[in-house]
Each structure stands twice: as C-alpha cells, then as structure tokens.
Amino acid sequence: MDFSYTDEQQHLRKSVREFAEREILPHVMEWDEASKFPMDIVKELGRLGLMGSIFPVEYGGSGMGYIEYVIAIEELSRVDGSVGIIVAAHTSLCSNHIFLAGTEEQKRKYIPKLATGEFIGAWGLTEPGSGSDAGSARMTAERKGNSWVLNGTKTFCTNGHYSDCAVVLAVTDKTAHTHGLSAFIVDKDTKGFKPGKKENKLGLRASDTAELIFEDCVIPADSLLGKEGDGFIDAMRVLDGGRISIAALSLGMAQGAYEAALKYSKQRKQFGKAISEFQAIQWKLADMATEIDAARLLTMRAASLKDSGKKSTQESSMAKLYASEVAVRCANEGVQIHGGYGFIKDYPAEKFYRDVKLCTIGEGTSEIQRMVIARQLLKD
Ligand SMILES: Cc1cc2nc3c(=O)[nH]c(=O)nc-3n(C[C@H](O)[C@H](O)[C@H](O)COP(=O)(O)OP(=O)(O)OC[C@H]3O[C@@H](n4cnc5c(N)ncnc54)[C@H](O)[C@@H]3O)c2cc1C
C-alpha cells in the first residue's frame, strides 16, 4: 500500500493550484455576489485538458484517471467551489454518462467537444417532484416514428443555462418503474427545449443551477443514450463516479476553510497572544486536519477502485458521505475561529460556510448515502 502521489500527480496539483490562485481567486467574491458564471475560466480549463481529464486521449480527453480528477477538482474547489461543481457536473455526470452508455457514434460526436470545453454539459435526473426518489421521475419520452417526443421539467440542473447539450432521464414505460426510465441526449436550441428558472442560491452562486423545460420537444431516435429502460441503472453507475467528484469538491472546500482558519489563528491576537496558542483553537485545527486527511484517504480509495475498473458503489458513497460532512464541520469551525470576522464577507470563511452545504445534498443527500452504504452492507 503506497500513499504517495506520483511526480506527475504532484505536478498536476501544483499547476492546478497555481492556476486557481492566479486566475480564479481574485474574482471569487465578485462572481459570487453577481452569481456570474465564469465562462472564460471554463473555456480555459477546457484548453488545459481539465474538462475531460478522465476520458481517453482518442476521445479528446486527457487520458488521466480518477485520482488526477480528484486532485484537479480538489484544487479548484479549495479556491472556489463554484468552479469545482461546474467541472464535476460537466465531466462525471453529463460527459461520463455519454462515455459509459453511448454508442461509438455518440461518443465520437460528443466526448471530444465536451472534453475540450468546446461544449458545456448538463445532466438532468432531478425533477420538482422527484429528488431522492429519482425513480419516480415523471418527464416522458414517447416514441413517434423515427423520433422521441419529450415532455416534462427537470430541476436543479448544474450548468443548465450554459450547456450545449444535456443528458436527461425520462419515462419510456410507465408500467416498469425504474426499468421504464431511459436516457436521452438533447442539443441546445432544439425546438421545444429551453432552460427555465435560474435558482438564486445560498452558496456556489457562480455555478448555474437551472430548470430544463421540454414541451413537445422532438429529438431523433438515435438520441436515446444506452438501452431503452436502462436509464436508471446507467444513472446509478454514473453516480458511482459522480459521488467521488462531490467528495473531491468537499475536500477542496474543507481544505480551503482549514487553511484560512489556520492562517487567521496565527495572526489574530487576544489576551496578548495569537489565538493559535489557545488549546481550544489548537484542538479545532487538529480535528479539522485529521478529518480532512481521513476524507482524502476515503476519496482516493474510491478513485483508485474506479481507476482499476472495480465496482465502487459503497466506497464512493462512503467517501461522499464522510467528506461532505467533514466539509460542513470544517467550514463551521472555520467561521468560529474567525470570530465576528468569520461572519463578514472580507474573509473567505463565510463563503466556504455557505458553499459546503450543497455537498451533503447534491448527488444524493447524506441520508441517501447511508441508505446506499447500508444496502451494500446488508447484501453480504
Ligand atoms: C446546487 C445544486 C445542484 C444540483 N445539481 C444537479 C444536477 O446537475 N442534476 C440533477 O439531476 N440534480 C441536481 N441537483 C439535485 C440534487 O441531487 C437533489 O436536490 C438531491 O438529490 C435531493 O433531492 P431533493 O432536493 O428533491 O430532496 P428530497 O428528496 O425531497 O429530500 C428532502 C429530505 O428528505 C430526506 N429523505 C428523502 N428520502 C428519504 C429516505 N428514504 N430516508 C431518509 N430520508 C430521506 C432527504 O435526505 C432530505 O433530507 C442539484 C441540487 C442543488 C441544490
């Protein structure tokens, strides 16, 4: 068992960190307050190969693995979780669904554009009435001759307004419950398809979260992604990878919150000494650092399983559950260590506090992760 990163992985971490600190950090609060989608950064990440890190070179990807993908998402999120979630939803939800379930033709058509950032992708599973119970989706896809006709609304879709294509799940057989769901790829500007309400959010405000509305939207028969009726099963496979990216998002924000608190604790003086000299503060920092390390180990284990082609359902959920809850605890303690300044927007602590909460909700809440883990445990 070797816990060290390769030279290439260390180099990747260093270069993504430098990029994030140089290109993203100066704009973080401006984008957050204006809810401004950082399009230029996304395009630049595409040029750097970070919008398709997990895809093979022959499909325009960077040919890296999940370990490298985690490093990249972590480093981006250490500076701005909004950028982290944009890349994560694009890569491990939209693009990876096409990569996992698509025909060779679909992969050749979409993955090179998505992997290079020419296209931005969105993924729509959630609906207004179906979140945790994703199998109860109501959006329909009806076969008519050589076409499918989509009707319904997806909600909370990351990148919704900025996506060039979206993968969406719809009911093709009402009698078959989860086996009646199928996935489709829809291009932007298709008649009958439009993004709807842009959500005004607590955190991750520079990322876009939107409705996708389908009204008699006619798409060609070959827009079906995967086998008819396999949409739900494929979506669960997609989430095995997606949850690793939410663990990485959590990890990056936890690390950012911790570093900000550590720095502040050495600068802030009370009772004639730096607050870092008080045992109460030291114990908070020690707990934060320990939990972040444990979360990173769980996340890297899940990533390593993925890279070796093994099933990672349980390990991905454990990593996502633990890392997201660690991120919430670290951001909370980060504000506490900053005292009143933790509540003020001049310091990064308050933004981390707002941003991390999504991690215990998106791609399955903590309660759902516990259900997934328990189901795996009880199988044996
Ligand atoms: C910023 C953001 C980005 C998102 N991006 C995407 C995206 O790109 N694509 C996409 O498809 N979705 C996306 N989502 C949706 C997200 O995955 C859902 O919000 C999440 O799965 C929870 O669903 P819900 O909001 O409907 O909550 P609900 O399912 O209504 O849950 C409400 C509460 O009930 C609990 N609960 C529900 N069922 C059970 C149960 N059986 N046992 C115990 N507790 C239970 C939940 O844990 C939660 O605490 C995003 C959401 C947000 C906020």
Side-chain angles (χ1 to χ4, degrees), residues 29-47:
M29 285 314 286
E30 170 206 329
W31 294 342
D32 179 71
E33 297 204 340
S35 288
K36 183 176 181 291
F37 186 87
M39 183 60 90
D40 292 350
I41 290 294
V42 173
K43 294 292 174 189
E44 188 56 28
L45 289 172
R47 283 188 281 275

Side-chain angles (χ1 to χ4, degrees), residues 85 89 93 123-128 130-133 155-158 201 204 207 209 358 361-368 371:
I85 196 175
L93 296 182
W123 191 74
L125 175 65
T126 308
E127 295 185 5
S130 101
S132 300
D133 182 13
T155 195
F156 295 160
C157 296
T158 301
K201 307 196 294 289
L204 301 177
S207 73
T209 311
L358 178 274
I361 296 169
E363 295 199 30
T365 61
S366 289
E367 291 76 15
I368 295 302
M371 273 172 54

Side-chain angles (χ1 to χ4, degrees), residues 13 58 61 96 106 111 157 172 200 208 213 245 346 349 354 376:
R13 187 181 288 284
E58 65 259 37
N96 201 37
Q106 288 169 326
I111 301 292
C157 296
T172 43
N200 186 7
D208 179 61
I213 299 169
S245 74
D346 295 348
R354 289 184 287 111
Q376 296 296 319

Side-chain angles (χ1 to χ4, degrees), residues 8-300:
E8 289 78 20
Q9 288 162 350
Q10 285 179 36
H11 177 73
L12 175 73
R13 187 181 288 284
K14 185 167 174 284
S15 52
V16 181
R17 179 170 294 202
E18 283 170 4
F19 174 82
E21 290 183 347
R22 188 179 65 245
E23 305 292 337
I24 300 173
L25 188 59
H27 309 286
V28 163
M29 285 314 286
E30 170 206 329
W31 294 342
D32 179 71
E33 297 204 340
S35 288
K36 183 176 181 291
F37 186 87
M39 183 60 90
D40 292 350
I41 290 294
V42 173
K43 294 292 174 189
E44 188 56 28
L45 289 172
R47 283 188 281 275
L48 294 171
L50 296 176
M51 296 299 278
S53 39
I54 53 175
F55 304 113
V57 175
E58 65 259 37
Y59 292 97
S62 308
M64 298 191 284
Y66 271 79
I67 300 265
E68 290 78 10
Y69 178 49
V70 166
I71 290 172
I73 298 281
E74 187 190 339
E75 287 302 324
L76 294 170
S77 309
R78 174 179 163 272
V79 170
D80 189 4
S82 286
V83 177
I85 196 175
I86 291 167
V87 179
H90 165 92
T91 309
S92 41
L93 296 182
C94 176
S95 310
N96 201 37
H97 198 143
I98 298 173
F99 188 71
L100 280 181
T103 59
E104 193 54 30
E105 207 181 337
Q106 288 169 326
K107 289 198 263 189
R108 296 268 168 215
K109 181 174 174 195
Y110 289 99
I111 301 292
K113 288 190 170 134
L114 288 160
T116 52
E118 183 185 338
F119 269 21
I120 295 173
W123 191 74
L125 175 65
T126 308
E127 295 185 5
S130 101
S132 300
D133 182 13
S136 65
R138 298 183 54 181
M139 174 166 154
T140 55
E142 204 184 330
R143 185 73 191 246
K144 285 207 175 144
N146 218 15
S147 308
W148 291 96
V149 184
L150 305 180
N151 275 293
T153 300
K154 293 290 166 185
T155 195
F156 295 160
C157 296
T158 301
N159 300 335
H161 280 97
Y162 299 92
S163 59
D164 298 279
C165 66
V167 170
V168 289
L169 279 287
V171 179
T172 43
D173 180 354
K174 281 184 185 144
T175 62
H177 192 48
T178 52
H179 295 289
L181 278 167
S182 306
F184 298 88
I185 314 175
V186 190
D187 293 327
K188 97 168 170 191
D189 297 333
T190 304
K191 197 163 169 275
F193 167 42
K194 59 174 188 214
K197 181 175 174 239
K198 178 184 170 72
E199 303 297 346
N200 186 7
K201 307 196 294 289
L202 167 74
L204 301 177
R205 291 174 56 81
S207 73
D208 179 61
T209 311
E211 277 180 336
L212 299 179
I213 299 169
F214 299 86
E215 287 166 340
D216 291 327
C217 173
V218 180
I219 53 172
D222 63 6
S223 309
L224 176 71
L225 178 59
K227 288 203 197 100
E228 189 178 336
D230 275 0
F232 185 80
I233 295 162
D234 287 341
M236 295 304 114
R237 287 199 296 146
V238 167
L239 286 172
D240 283 349
R243 285 170 182 161
I244 297 175
S245 74
I246 301 298
L249 173 72
S250 311
L251 208 46
M253 291 195 278
Q255 181 72 31
Y258 160 74
E259 286 177 27
L262 179 68
K263 182 174 166 206
Y264 184 81
S265 73
K266 291 187 199 165
Q267 292 166 346
R268 177 69 174 170
K269 289 204 167 61
Q270 287 294 285
F271 300 95
K273 35 172 121 156
I275 60 167
S276 60
E277 291 186 39
F278 300 128
Q279 191 185 48
I281 302 294
Q282 290 175 0
W283 284 26
K284 286 187 196 302
L285 292 168
D287 285 347
M288 288 161 90
T290 305
E291 291 194 346
I292 291 169
D293 242 18
R296 189 172 288 112
L297 290 172
L298 278 177
T299 307
M300 287 304 182

